[in-house]
Amino acid sequence: MNIDSRWDVIIIGAGPAGALAACLLADKARVLIVEKAAFPRSKVCGSCINTTAIELLRANSLETVLTESHAIALKHLQLFENTKSARINLTGGVALSRRQLDMALVNRAIERGATFLDSTSAELSATTNGARIVEIDDKALKASVVLVADGLSGRALRRLEEFNPTISETSRFGCGTTIECNDPFFETGVIYMACSDEGYVGAVRLEDGKLDIAAAFDKNFSRTQGNSANAVATVFVQNGIPVPSGIFEVHWMGTDSLTRTRSKVAAERIFLVGDACGYAEPFTGEGIAWAMTAANAVVPHALNAIAGWNDSLIETWENEYAKNIRTKQKRSALIAKGLRSNMIRNIAVPLISAFPTVARSIVDHISTPALWRELCPQEF
């Protein structure tokens, strides 16, 4: 592909943050999306999209990416702790594979005028003549502003030491797979979450009927179990959940350490969005919502940068990100900390089972019935 050397916006990474930002900017600026993976591709992800994310899609006339991709309405969250179990009713949220979601958003961005380049790595270097240099393969491109949305393990910023992340010593890592599963235990429209001292596992049916399994484990636990499949099987057995046949034969994907922070999320002609900013262990559906919230919020900052760079834009984005995203991540970190405590889990699960209203603060962010009825009325 013959790629122009000058762009208004170059977006590195085509996950929910990068792809949504491209959709919102493509009809206002010349946008290039650069993605290192070949698309479509699968990702380690719980594949749950909460109502915060759905509302953002709806507000930007993008909600049809869910219905056209046959997203599954989520009706229940089933929590497990050893012999205890609690089912919480959900009135919003959907399950959709990242393979479908990310590709659908990229296609919308292309329809709106963006250019997409996959199977291509990108790295940032210096600024020159009012532009930031982005190196792809053997070519140097210039952009008025660059949005870095290349996730946990992205390499776009590796030359810029000020963006080196700090990784938590207690950070877990993520792993996941999708499998064919005919076991009727795993119902469509139900999120299954199994907890243990060493980590937790989530499972949900996807739009194609396959079972998505995503987990976060302590590194030592995974090592002692031998591999991700064994670790998942152990947690399922501990919680009385049947081990799906075939999990030992399929390919498992992994992530870098999950919990990490960056001291800054902006620099001259650079804004970070999504997991590139840092990451905390998310509760159901929050990771995608954080990414989309950041993508939506960064658009006016990017347009201001295109119109004329001012160093005050760095502080402006830093402050807005702290206000809109970091506060939400702190809440999720508290939930994750609670899930690590055997005592809290032993109290919480039976309490939720006996008094479901105590779980409302946990699931409110994935439950907006009126919105989902409007998006997918056939489910009601």
Side-chain angles (χ1 to χ4, degrees):
M1 181 184 292
N2 185 23
I3 296 295
D4 293 341
S5 60
R6 181 69 193 238
W7 298 85
D8 293 327
V9 185
I10 294 178
I11 300 174
I12 303 175
L20 179 57
C23 288
L24 305 184
L25 287 165
D27 59 353
K28 304 176 182 70
R30 295 187 67 243
V31 176
L32 172 66
I33 316 165
V34 182
E35 165 59 47
K36 67 180 179 181
F39 257 50
R41 55 89 180 94
S42 300
K43 292 280 286 183
V44 177
C45 183
S47 297
C48 295
I49 304 170
N50 69 20
T51 53
T52 297
I54 294 172
E55 287 167 357
L56 284 169
L57 292 174
R58 181 174 184 248
N60 291 291
S61 302
L62 290 166
E63 69 272 20
T64 55
V65 303
L66 302 178
T67 51
E68 291 172 4
S69 299
H70 308 291
I72 302 296
L74 293 173
K75 300 174 182 178
H76 306 286
L77 170 64
Q78 188 87 25
L79 297 174
F80 294 84
E81 163 60 23
N82 289 324
T83 59
K84 306 177 184 68
S85 174
R87 175 166 284 203
I88 303 166
N89 293 330
L90 303 177
T91 50
V94 300
L96 182 64
S97 67
R98 287 288 301 279
R99 184 179 181 88
Q100 284 286 341
L101 173 65
D102 296 1
M103 190 73 254
L105 287 174
V106 167
N107 285 336
R108 286 294 194 280
I110 294 170
E111 290 169 5
R112 294 182 178 190
T115 298
F116 179 54
L117 189 63
D118 66 347
S119 303
T120 304
S121 296
E123 291 187 11
L124 280 78
S125 59
T127 55
T128 180
N129 297 326
R132 176 64 70 165
I133 302 299
V134 178
E135 296 183 7
I136 63 168
D137 298 329
D138 59 349
K139 191 172 184 178
L141 308 181
K142 295 180 181 179
S144 297
V145 64
V146 178
L147 303 185
V148 179
D150 59 350
L152 281 175
S153 57
R155 304 282 288 170
L157 297 167
R158 71 184 186 94
R159 300 184 190 179
L160 307 180
E161 293 183 2
E162 67 266 35
F163 287 108
N164 287 345
T166 299
I167 300 173
S168 170
E169 293 181 358
T170 60
S171 177
R172 289 170 167 162
F173 80 99
C175 60
T177 193
T178 58
I179 61 169
E180 300 281 356
C181 178
N182 297 321
D183 193 324
F185 177 89
F186 297 100
E187 303 171 43
T188 299
V190 180
I191 307 168
Y192 297 87
M193 289 194 68
C195 304
S196 76
D197 290 342
E198 298 83 9
Y200 54 87
V201 182
V204 68
R205 292 278 184 189
L206 297 175
E207 68 280 357
D208 59 2
K210 292 182 179 179
L211 190 69
D212 179 272
I213 302 175
F217 290 129
D218 296 335
K219 294 175 183 177
N220 287 337
F221 175 66
S222 183
R223 291 191 193 101
T224 60
Q225 294 299 308
N227 55 47
S228 297
N230 289 339
V232 167
T234 296
V235 172
F236 274 168
V237 170
Q238 288 174 349
N239 287 276
I241 298 173
V243 178
S245 60
I247 69 168
F248 302 102
E249 287 77 37
V250 295
H251 171 70
W252 285 81
M253 298 172 287
T255 72
D256 287 344
S257 297
L258 292 173
T259 305
R260 57 181 62 208
T261 57
R262 277 194 162 111
S263 61
K264 57 188 300 182
V265 295
E268 184 179 354
R269 298 188 181 277
I270 301 172
F271 297 130
L272 276 59
V273 290
D275 296 350
C277 297
Y279 197 74
E281 286 183 36
F283 196 65
T284 305
E286 286 195 311
I288 292 174
W290 295 337
M292 289 188 176
T293 299
N296 187 71
V298 82
V299 168
H301 302 274
L303 293 174
N304 285 335
I306 295 167
W309 179 260
N310 186 306
D311 284 345
S312 66
L313 292 171
I314 297 173
E315 183 178 2
T316 303
W317 178 237
E318 294 273 4
N319 290 338
E320 182 157 356
Y321 185 84
K323 176 183 176 181
N324 289 313
I325 308 297
R326 291 202 195 282
T327 54
K328 295 178 175 65
Q329 290 180 333
K330 288 178 181 178
R331 177 191 63 182
S332 186
L334 288 174
I335 296 174
K337 186 175 181 179
L339 290 175
R340 292 185 182 220
S341 168
N342 180 267
M343 181 181 70
I344 292 176
R345 295 195 310 271
N346 278 326
I347 294 172
V349 172
L351 186 64
I352 289 170
S353 183
F355 304 99
T357 55
V358 304
R360 185 51 49 198
S361 62
I362 298 176
V363 300
D364 269 351
H365 57 282
I366 50 174
S367 302
T368 304
L371 175 63
W372 181 243
R373 286 193 182 97
E374 183 174 341
L375 286 177
C376 199
Q378 68 272 20
E379 293 291 342
F380 292 87

